[in-house]
């Protein structure tokens, strides 16, 4: 989405007459050369009603939508009624990009925006742009915007100074029109009451949070259905009793920042949740699930400390008493070689196939299991686990194993081992095993 070019190359392309040269200074006062256009006898598009033309323009990048005003007087202001405005930095001088957004919003005539999205690499953001960001967020608030995205990209500097972030203005925390909010690299520190009465999806990333901030925001979101936290730190406990929050997505939880230990455990207690996804790196973090009785779908594709992974995976499975669909990704069971050997073999015995304990979720609820993105050179490391599931999942209907091909051909032995997997005994007569390679 983002293409980074230095300002020199941008200036060179600007004076070369290239089609995209006037990307951020379209509203320049400099005279433009007259273009030679062929005469068209039939204007089929121009005969369409304004509402339909605006709808068509909404599918174009905002820069291209603006360029249509040269067609005729009728087109001159059509783009100003486009309900979705997405600004994606594509290289050049960041100040030109900021100025382009300012001038575009000044000409916007749409009475109610569906979406306002601003995407700028964090390394190009400076505190001097904070006043511009405040104007844009105020524009979104007063124009009844339903979706607001402020994403300063995901390339984190080696040393991140919290004071360099853009901090969300307090007026943004009290708005009844927002239905979806997505913030990245923005400071989220509400000092007053949070009131997002219509908000259904909240995504926050690359940010320092706290248990109190999370609770304050959730208390102000009575209809929130999806909560997504990615690349975050400072949270030790997610305790959500809301009956409407149905999905939680956690991706990359940091345990330290600038060599300072932030947190070493994360407790998740959401009794009314239906879907949970834990993705990415959770190394050195103890992740515990509390009261997961209502959960239906769970995706585990995360990396833990090699010394803790086996116990964590076992404990997580024991917590999922009513889950019907479990998806296990590469990191969950086979990312660190030392852990693979521990997972497969303990004192020359297969760990999973030697288990005698009864897992309630396997007996009563588990219907689908998916192993995604497995590396072909060590597939045997999941076979004992798959055998354990087939033997104990009494209502299992489908098991999907997706072996990732990483260059070259997959050895014949892998297919031979896969054939053995098909012959493993199953406690469910309806269980079907599907292998993709």
């Amino acid at each position: 989405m983002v293409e980074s070019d230095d300002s020199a190359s941008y200036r060179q392309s600007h004076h070369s007459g290239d089609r995209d040269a006037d990307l951020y200074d379209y509203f320049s006062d400099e005279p433009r050369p007259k273009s030679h256009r062929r005469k068209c006898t039939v204007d089929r598009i121009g005969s369409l009603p304004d509402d339909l033309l605006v709808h068509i323009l909404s599918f174009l990048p905002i820069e291209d939508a603006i360029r249509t005003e040269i067609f005729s007087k009728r087109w001159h202001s059509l783009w100003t009624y486009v309900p979705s405005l997405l600004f994606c930095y594509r290289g050049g001088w960041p100040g030109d990009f900021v100025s382009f957004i300012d001038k575009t919003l000044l000409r916007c005539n749409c009475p109610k925006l569906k979406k306002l999205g601003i995407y700028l690499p964090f390394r190009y953001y400076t505190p001097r742009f904070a006043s511009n960001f405040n104007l844009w967020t105020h524009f979104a608030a007063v124009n009844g915007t339903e979706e607001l995205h402020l994403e300063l990209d995901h390339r984190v500097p080696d040393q991140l100074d919290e004071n360099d972030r853009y901090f969300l203005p307090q007026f943004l925390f009290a708005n009844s029109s927002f239905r979806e909010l997505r913030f990245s690299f923005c400071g989220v520190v509400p000092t007053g009451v949070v009131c997002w009465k219509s908000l259904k999806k909240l995504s926050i990333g690359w940010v320092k949070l706290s248990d109190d901030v999370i609770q304050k925001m959730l208390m102000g979101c009575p209809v929130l259905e999806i909560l997504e936290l990615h690349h975050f730190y400072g949270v030790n406990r997610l305790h959500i009793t809301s009956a409407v929050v149905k999905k939680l997505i956690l991706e990359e939880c940091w345990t330290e920042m600038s060599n300072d230990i932030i947190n070493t455990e994360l407790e998740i207690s959401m009794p009314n949740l239906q879907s949970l996804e834990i993705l990415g790196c959770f190394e050195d973090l103890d992740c515990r699930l509390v009261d997961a009785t209502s959960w239906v779908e769970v995706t585990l594709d995360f990396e833990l400390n090699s010394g803790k992974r086996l116990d964590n995976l076992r404990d997580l499975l024991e917590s999922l008493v009513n889950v019907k669909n479990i998806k296990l990704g590469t990191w969950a069971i086979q990312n660190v070689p030392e852990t693979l050997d521990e997972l497969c073999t303990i004192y020359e015995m297969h760990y999973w196939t030697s288990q005698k304990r009864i897992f309630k979720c396997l007996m009563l609820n588990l219907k689908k299991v998916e192993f995604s993105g497995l590396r072909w050179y060590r597939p045997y490391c999941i076979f004992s686990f798959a055998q354990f599931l087939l033997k104990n999942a009494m209502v299992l209907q489908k098991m999907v194993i997706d072996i990732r091909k990483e260059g070259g051909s997959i050895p014949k032995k892998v297919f031979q081992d896969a054939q053995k997997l098909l012959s493993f005994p199953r406690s469910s007569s309806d269980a079907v095993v599907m292998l993709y390679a």
Side-chain angles (χ1 to χ4, degrees):
M1 179 181 294
V2 178
E3 299 176 0
S4 300
D5 299 321
D6 56 29
S7 58
S9 62
Y10 168 78
R11 297 299 182 187
Q12 181 179 2
S13 66
H14 176 73
H15 294 290
S16 66
D18 184 79
R19 175 178 176 272
D20 295 325
D22 56 349
L23 186 60
Y24 299 142
D25 62 347
Y26 187 85
F27 300 109
S28 172
D29 294 329
E30 297 180 3
R32 298 177 180 273
K34 295 182 179 180
S35 60
H36 299 282
R37 292 172 293 183
R38 293 182 300 175
K39 293 183 179 180
C40 182
T41 56
V42 180
D43 183 7
R44 298 184 183 278
I45 296 181
S47 62
L48 298 175
D50 287 354
D51 290 346
L52 183 54
L53 291 178
V54 170
H55 181 68
I56 294 173
L57 291 178
S58 67
F59 291 96
L60 297 177
I62 185 60
E63 298 85 3
D64 291 336
I66 293 175
R67 290 188 181 98
T68 62
E69 67 177 15
I70 67 174
F71 292 167
S72 66
K73 290 184 178 180
R74 182 193 176 197
W75 286 83
H76 188 70
S77 61
L78 277 180
W79 69 267
T80 65
Y81 294 92
V82 170
S84 295
L85 299 175
L86 307 181
F87 300 93
C88 302
Y89 176 81
R90 304 181 187 278
W93 192 253
D96 290 344
F97 175 71
V98 171
S99 178
F100 172 71
I101 298 176
D102 286 342
K103 294 176 180 179
T104 302
L105 295 184
L106 281 175
R107 292 192 57 187
C108 179
N109 291 317
C110 186
K112 181 177 176 63
L113 282 183
K114 178 176 177 57
K115 182 176 181 178
L116 174 62
I118 298 170
Y119 310 91
L120 174 70
F122 179 78
R123 63 185 180 276
Y124 293 132
Y125 173 81
T126 66
R128 67 186 179 91
F129 292 151
S131 59
N132 302 91
F133 273 72
N134 287 338
L135 289 174
W136 304 338
T137 53
H138 182 266
F139 178 87
V142 300
N143 282 275
T145 305
E146 296 182 7
E147 298 180 29
L148 175 61
H149 292 193
L150 294 178
E151 301 195 49
L152 300 181
D153 203 1
H154 62 277
R155 295 183 177 89
V156 60
D158 294 335
Q159 296 295 329
L160 177 62
D161 189 342
E162 288 294 326
N163 294 325
D164 290 337
R165 295 178 181 272
Y166 169 67
F167 282 83
L168 301 180
Q170 295 305 310
F171 66 78
L172 208 60
F173 293 100
N175 189 286
S176 59
S177 64
F178 293 140
R179 296 176 61 87
E180 178 178 326
L181 292 173
R182 187 175 184 88
F183 305 123
S184 179
F185 265 121
C186 297
V188 183
V189 187
T191 57
V193 176
V194 176
C195 185
W196 289 329
K197 294 182 179 180
S198 303
L199 192 65
K200 293 196 172 184
K201 181 177 181 180
L202 176 61
S203 175
I204 306 176
W206 298 99
V207 66
K208 177 182 179 180
L209 296 169
S210 68
D211 297 347
D212 292 339
V213 168
I214 291 292
Q215 287 301 319
K216 179 179 286 190
M217 288 192 297
L218 292 176
M219 288 178 61
C221 305
V223 297
L224 186 68
E225 298 177 356
I226 302 174
L227 174 62
E228 178 181 2
L229 303 178
H230 63 93
H231 304 87
F232 64 100
Y233 61 100
V235 178
N236 294 298
R237 192 164 185 257
L238 281 172
H239 185 195
I240 304 175
T241 58
S242 170
V244 296
V245 178
K246 301 302 181 184
K247 186 172 185 177
L248 174 65
I249 303 173
L250 302 176
E251 181 177 1
E252 299 275 348
C253 181
W254 299 334
T255 57
E256 61 179 73
M257 178 60 64
S258 300
N259 298 321
D260 293 330
I261 301 299
I262 303 299
N263 56 301
T264 58
E265 66 177 14
L266 178 62
E267 180 181 288
I268 303 173
S269 176
M270 302 179 68
N272 298 305
L273 195 71
Q274 293 185 359
S275 176
L276 170 69
E277 295 183 13
I278 303 180
L279 314 169
C281 182
F282 282 71
E283 192 169 355
D284 296 324
L285 183 72
D286 287 326
C287 187
R288 296 189 296 115
L289 307 181
V290 180
D291 196 357
T293 55
S294 65
W295 299 6
V296 178
E297 298 180 349
V298 172
T299 297
L300 303 178
D301 190 5
F302 59 93
E303 180 181 12
L304 291 170
N305 180 282
S306 59
K308 300 178 181 179
R309 171 180 291 173
L310 192 60
D311 291 335
N312 271 270
L313 181 57
R314 182 185 60 215
D315 293 342
L316 289 174
L317 288 173
E318 286 183 331
S319 303
L320 305 176
V321 293
N322 292 321
V323 171
K324 292 180 171 60
N325 298 321
I326 297 180
K327 181 177 180 180
L328 298 176
T330 304
W331 276 1
I333 56 176
Q334 67 159 82
N335 194 54
V336 181
E338 294 83 355
T339 305
L340 293 177
D341 295 332
E342 184 182 15
L343 184 65
C344 296
T345 310
I346 294 182
Y347 302 113
E348 304 301 327
M349 295 176 60
H350 287 286
Y351 175 78
W352 289 107
T353 53
S354 66
Q355 286 297 301
K356 304 300 182 182
R357 287 182 300 172
I358 297 176
F359 294 82
K360 186 177 179 181
C361 70
L362 298 181
M363 294 182 61
L364 303 176
N365 300 290
L366 186 62
K367 294 184 178 181
K368 180 180 179 180
V369 177
E370 181 176 349
F371 299 91
S372 63
L374 303 177
R375 293 178 174 86
W376 61 262
Y377 54 84
R378 296 187 73 116
Y380 64 85
C381 293
I382 62 97
F383 285 170
S384 61
F385 185 38
Q387 183 178 1
F388 166 78
L389 292 176
L390 289 172
K391 181 180 178 180
N392 293 276
M394 300 181 65
V395 294
L396 185 67
Q397 296 178 354
K398 181 185 293 187
M399 176 180 288
V400 179
I401 301 177
D402 180 11
I403 299 178
R404 179 188 301 170
K405 182 178 179 181
E406 297 181 346
S409 59
I410 298 178
K412 184 177 180 180
K413 186 178 184 304
V414 174
F415 293 99
Q416 293 174 345
D417 292 340
Q419 290 297 322
K420 294 180 182 179
L421 178 64
L422 298 176
S423 64
F424 288 159
R426 311 172 193 182
S427 61
S428 172
S429 58
D430 297 327
V432 175
V433 178
M434 305 176 68
L435 178 68
Y436 297 95

